[in-house]
Amino acid sequence: MSSLDTSLFKQCNFVHFWVGQIASSFAFQMLSVGIGWQMYELTNSALALGLVGLFQFLPHLLLTLVIGHVADRYNRRIICICTRLTMASTVGILAFGNLTDTLSANMIYACAVLLGTARAFEMPASQAILPNLVPSQYLSRAVSAIASAREISVIVGPALGGLIYLLGASTLYLTSMTCFLVSCLIMFFLRYNYVVKHKTPVDLAHLLGGLRFIKNNKLILGSISMDMFAVLLGGATALLPIVAKDILHTGPWGLGLLRCAPAVGALLMSIYLARHPLKHSVGKIMYGAVAIFGVATIVFGLSQHLILSLVALFVLGASDMISVVIRSTLVQLETPDDMRGRVSAANSIFIGSSNQLGEFESGATAALFGTVPAIVIGGVGTLAVVGVWMYLFPNLLHRNSLENETENKA
């Protein structure tokens, strides 16, 4: 913690929130290893792995307008508690299925829908809480610190999850469920001063407010859409079980290492950014980081050696973290508080598209062309996105600072 910003961590509420995020993310990362490995053992299908991601994404897509409205109208802390309780219960269903030997691919798909629904409501609520917990001058560092918490869990979670899986899938699921419950308890004691806002009439214009705000703010639109398409094409996490088993010829422990590698790179980068926030040429840095992400994806796709694959994933994670911090900070700083829920919900569509829908895209492409071509094509597509977005969003390319430059000039 000392490597981050000590003044930031003197904010007691932020510490509670930070630890709660670690527990929740830790639970989900362990869970992802179990679901991925077990689904591939049940089906031996790349498409089935992709469908797990698709079923997690669909609630984000179908419920976006409702999610944003809920996050702006109701206590965001309570929303986080309820959604994490839902995730704990869903993991309990998976554990029960294993203990009674009744688990099937269809049961995993159903649980993926429940997890996706809970995460769809939890994500914008937790994102919108953050600016209310720390002073604005600490927000960029807070975003990096939260990213560090997530990456710590992504490093430890999959590695430990792979080891716990050796004791049985039910043991892994019960451990994940416990972490979700711990996160709920921590959030229960979070001191968050919820203020009942003036409840304007709920109409279509209100529900579409987040999407309209993003559309009219070209800087935010450019940053989150580039991140979406880059990770949508270049993300290959759904294929990691296949890469581990069929290309690198390793087991669950190897899959855990592969899932850890991007997080190690992301963690080190987030710690660096927390201590040394980006101050100049943030637009050019973001474009460069996404380009490096694409190159690292190509290297990973061509690799047949575990060490080289881990190095490529390490670089991929570090470059993606730069993009995440820039995008997240711009969205939070330029969005009014009474719209953060709806904007975060709309933003979650982009994030969900790049992650869960990206998993489906990777699985479908791998089923058509093979695992290696699918990953390489995705990396090339990411580089193409960078070139197109430099032309479409020159204001993002020439953005110098993370701070609101219009206000500074005024």
Side-chain angles (χ1 to χ4, degrees):
M1 186 180 298
S2 61
S3 62
L4 297 175
D5 188 271
T6 56
S7 297
L8 173 62
F9 278 90
K10 289 179 181 177
Q11 309 290 325
C12 184
N13 274 351
F14 176 75
V15 174
H16 274 81
F17 183 73
W18 188 76
V19 175
Q21 292 296 100
I22 289 180
S24 177
S25 183
F26 193 90
F28 186 78
Q29 293 303 323
M30 286 196 299
L31 177 64
S32 65
V33 172
I35 288 179
W37 191 267
Q38 198 162 39
M39 176 59 83
Y40 193 56
E41 282 191 331
L42 287 171
T43 65
N44 199 37
S45 168
L47 182 59
L49 291 173
L51 286 174
V52 172
L54 177 63
F55 285 132
Q56 288 189 64
F57 169 71
L58 286 177
H60 285 266
L61 180 63
L62 299 177
L63 300 174
T64 299
L65 300 182
V66 176
I67 291 166
H69 166 71
V70 169
D72 278 337
R73 283 295 184 94
Y74 301 100
N75 191 318
R76 294 161 181 168
R77 181 178 68 91
I78 300 301
I79 294 172
C80 289
I81 293 173
C82 292
T83 53
R84 290 173 188 179
L85 280 175
T86 301
M87 287 187 273
S89 301
T90 302
V91 179
I93 294 174
L94 293 172
F96 178 80
N98 275 276
L99 290 171
T100 58
D101 199 27
T102 58
L103 187 71
S104 64
N106 288 335
M107 184 182 292
I108 293 177
Y109 289 143
C111 288
V113 173
L114 290 175
L115 288 169
T117 301
R119 284 171 61 83
F121 281 92
E122 189 254 1
M123 184 181 297
S126 62
Q127 289 177 348
I129 282 178
L130 185 57
N132 300 123
L133 299 180
V134 298
S136 59
Q137 65 266 30
Y138 292 132
L139 184 58
S140 175
R141 292 178 178 178
V143 169
S144 296
I146 291 296
S148 298
R150 182 177 62 250
E151 301 309 331
I152 288 171
S153 64
V154 173
I155 292 170
V156 180
L160 187 58
L163 293 175
I164 295 176
Y165 191 90
L166 298 176
L167 301 176
S170 57
T171 304
L172 173 62
Y173 292 138
L174 289 172
T175 305
S176 174
M177 182 177 68
T178 301
C179 289
F180 275 126
L181 293 175
V182 169
S183 175
C184 290
L185 184 63
I186 293 172
M187 288 297 293
F188 180 80
F189 290 104
L190 178 71
R191 293 196 304 273
Y192 169 61
N193 295 322
Y194 170 66
V195 178
V196 179
K197 302 175 179 65
H198 177 66
K199 299 197 173 183
T200 57
V202 179
D203 53 20
L204 187 60
H206 173 82
L207 295 176
L208 292 174
L211 290 171
R212 189 186 309 109
F213 182 86
I214 292 175
K215 176 185 175 183
N216 294 334
N217 191 314
K218 300 301 181 184
L219 193 70
I220 293 179
L221 177 62
S223 63
I224 63 178
S225 61
M226 179 171 66
D227 183 82
M228 179 192 75
F229 283 107
V231 180
L232 173 65
L233 295 172
T237 55
L239 303 179
L240 289 182
I242 302 176
V243 173
K245 186 174 182 179
D246 297 342
I247 297 177
L248 302 179
H249 307 292
T250 184
W253 66 271
L255 174 59
L257 289 177
L258 290 173
R259 285 193 175 275
C260 284
V264 173
L267 173 63
L268 295 179
M269 181 57 69
S270 64
I271 291 174
Y272 175 82
L273 293 176
R275 296 194 63 186
H276 307 282
L278 298 172
K279 297 180 180 179
H280 305 290
S281 304
V282 295
K284 294 182 177 66
I285 291 173
M286 184 175 185
Y287 277 102
V290 176
I292 293 173
F293 179 91
V295 172
T297 300
I298 295 173
V299 173
F300 172 71
L302 297 175
S303 172
Q304 296 184 354
H305 302 282
L306 180 59
I307 299 300
L308 179 58
S309 297
L310 292 174
V311 171
L313 290 174
F314 175 90
V315 174
L316 182 149
S319 59
D320 184 52
M321 179 52 59
I322 297 174
S323 173
V324 167
V325 169
I326 294 174
R327 170 177 52 81
S328 300
T329 305
L330 287 175
V331 170
Q332 296 290 4
L333 285 177
E334 301 214 352
T335 304
D337 182 64
D338 61 348
M339 291 192 64
R340 284 196 177 110
R342 282 168 290 165
V343 171
S344 294
N347 187 27
S348 71
I349 287 295
F350 291 85
I351 297 173
S353 297
S354 62
N355 293 326
Q356 282 80 38
L357 191 57
E359 291 180 8
F360 174 71
E361 180 273 335
S362 296
T365 306
L368 289 174
F369 304 109
T371 301
V372 172
I375 297 174
V376 173
I377 290 171
V380 173
T382 298
L383 295 177
V385 167
V386 172
V388 172
W389 258 241
M390 289 176 68
Y391 173 77
L392 293 178
F393 298 95
N395 59 332
L396 176 60
L397 177 64
H398 298 296
R399 176 75 177 212
N400 184 54
S401 171
L402 284 174
E403 299 178 1
N404 193 309
E405 295 179 349
T406 302
E407 291 182 0
N408 289 343
K409 289 178 181 179

